[in-house]
Amino acid sequence: MLIENFIQNVNRELNRTRVKLMNIYKKQKGINYTLLKNNWKLILEDESNVTHGRFFFNRSFRSLVTRRDILDYLLGLDCNI
């Protein structure tokens, strides 16, 4: 029970940080807000599970990317994540 509570608190704090970043980027022009809004689950996933596997077209980047590319970009936005 204690571990579940800890994990839930970590997830909540990550989500709060993401929403704060989204509010900052919402006022600016660019792709950061959209990427944070649409790919929030990547931040919560275990980093070892996000691989360089399949490429798909991402409208925000306007190119072929992997889920790992998006995660690396999101983690590079702010040191608080």
Side-chain angles (χ1 to χ4, degrees):
M1 187 68 170
L2 184 64
I3 294 173
E4 291 172 6
N5 196 13
F6 175 75
I7 292 172
Q8 186 179 29
N9 288 335
V10 169
N11 283 340
R12 279 187 189 146
E13 200 56 42
L14 278 171
N15 201 33
R16 282 188 194 122
T17 304
R18 178 187 63 88
V19 170
K20 285 179 188 176
L21 277 174
M22 284 176 62
N23 287 334
I24 292 169
Y25 290 124
K26 189 175 189 175
K27 298 171 185 150
Q28 299 173 357
K29 194 168 183 109
I31 64 172
N32 296 336
Y33 175 81
T34 305
L35 286 172
L36 284 167
K37 182 176 180 177
N38 294 338
N39 298 294
W40 62 271
K41 289 181 184 177
L42 283 176
I43 297 171
L44 298 178
E45 273 191 53
D46 184 15
E47 199 170 353
S48 62
N49 291 341
V50 181
T51 62
H52 285 288
R54 279 186 348 177
F55 283 90
F56 63 93
F57 185 79
N58 185 286
R59 288 186 284 174
S60 297
F61 286 116
R62 295 185 180 132
S63 65
L64 292 173
V65 294
T66 62
R67 292 177 56 209
R68 182 65 190 201
D69 296 334
I70 294 174
L71 179 62
D72 290 341
Y73 182 83
L74 291 176
L75 293 177
L77 287 178
D78 191 60
C79 60
N80 290 330
I81 296 183

